[in-house]
Amino acid sequence: MGVLPVPAEVRAILLDIEGTTTPIAFVQETLFPYIKDNVKEYLRAHWEEEECQRDVGLLRKQAQEDSSLDGAVPIPLESGSGEEELERVIQAVVDNVHWQMSLDRKTTALKQLQGHMWRAAYATGHVKGEIFEDVVPAIRKWREAGMKVYIYSSGSVEAQKLLFGYSTEGDILELFDGHFDTKIGPKVESESYRRIAASIGCATNNILFLTDVPREANAAEEAETHVAVVIRPGNAGLTDDEKSYYSLISSFTELFLPSST
């Protein structure tokens, strides 16, 4: 792969997280299993808190909307104050969360509870966001060269900030000029990249997007955003056509900024 020159008009680098700054295994083998393994304990510990009750209320509403789906798990209202009754409701919430996660659903209700659980896990040191070792030195160099650096991930902005705020490299939030999630639009739609450019205050061709997903790279290209596909351990393989078509890097150090010389 070697060195990839960054086009002279690029003023901002937009980064995906999973498979780009962070190993896919961290999300699949650390973050999601943490939810499955700890959701019951978390609910028991925080049940009386207003935030937890809002989360449960949202999950209950989602469960009602899902009632016609195969395997859907209803969440009953508490009909009494006994310990046995409470355990019954908590178990229903646990079963619902496990069911949604087994289908890889992205409902707001599920993401909200997950976000609050991860926040607690990061804050207590149970989880640290994993970052590839080339990422931080490279971003520091880009910023010294006058480049702006942004994150665009399907994970919520809150989840992004937790990952980088409690990372294996310490708190590195200062390295980023802004964060985008799917509220700006899906990553596989070209309009999302136009909205990001407008939000940043530049043209789409002033942005270089780094991602491990060819469909996202294609959408960004359609918006005339520059792209490079990142090859990392554990990432999905590319077809021969994708390998020959896209600019590829295996490390952020392979980007060559003309302005830095």
Side-chain angles (χ1 to χ4, degrees), residues 80-146:
S81 57
E83 190 70 26
E84 199 173 302
E85 169 70 6
L86 177 60
E87 279 299 307
R88 186 175 71 90
V89 177
I90 286 177
Q91 188 60 53
V93 177
V94 171
D95 292 344
N96 180 279
V97 167
H98 285 180
W99 172 72
Q100 289 202 61
M101 291 183 71
S102 73
L103 299 176
D104 195 27
R105 301 188 79 203
K106 311 289 186 187
T107 64
T108 299
L110 178 63
K111 286 171 71 174
Q112 182 167 297
L113 176 68
Q114 288 173 332
H116 292 151
M117 285 187 64
W118 285 327
R119 182 182 64 199
Y122 281 117
T124 55
H126 285 103
V127 172
K128 283 188 182 293
E130 291 184 32
I131 312 292
F132 287 113
E133 62 181 17
D134 57 278
V135 170
V136 171
I139 293 176
R140 291 196 193 283
K141 195 170 286 187
W142 300 342
R143 291 179 64 88
E144 286 168 10

Side-chain angles (χ1 to χ4, degrees), residues 187-190 193 214-224:
K187 295 173 75 181
V188 293
E189 292 184 7
S190 57
Y193 299 88
R215 283 184 67 211
E216 296 174 2
N218 184 55
E221 270 201 338
E222 285 179 2
E224 298 185 346

Side-chain angles (χ1 to χ4, degrees), residues 129-166:
E130 291 184 32
I131 312 292
F132 287 113
E133 62 181 17
D134 57 278
V135 170
V136 171
I139 293 176
R140 291 196 193 283
K141 195 170 286 187
W142 300 342
R143 291 179 64 88
E144 286 168 10
M147 199 69 67
K148 299 282 190 181
V149 183
Y150 298 87
I151 296 292
Y152 182 29
S153 172
S154 55
S156 69
V157 167
E158 181 183 19
Q160 295 172 31
K161 289 182 176 179
L162 287 169
L163 192 155
F164 293 116
Y166 297 93

Side-chain angles (χ1 to χ4, degrees), residues 34-53 55-56 59 90 93-94 112-121:
Y34 179 86
I35 300 295
K36 289 179 181 175
D37 295 344
N38 292 279
V39 62
K40 181 180 281 189
E41 182 184 340
Y42 176 87
L43 290 168
R44 283 173 174 163
H46 299 277
W47 190 260
E48 300 298 331
E49 296 170 17
E50 188 178 331
E51 181 178 83
C52 186
Q53 282 300 304
D55 291 347
V56 171
L59 285 163
I90 286 177
V93 177
V94 171
Q112 182 167 297
L113 176 68
Q114 288 173 332
H116 292 151
M117 285 187 64
W118 285 327
R119 182 182 64 199

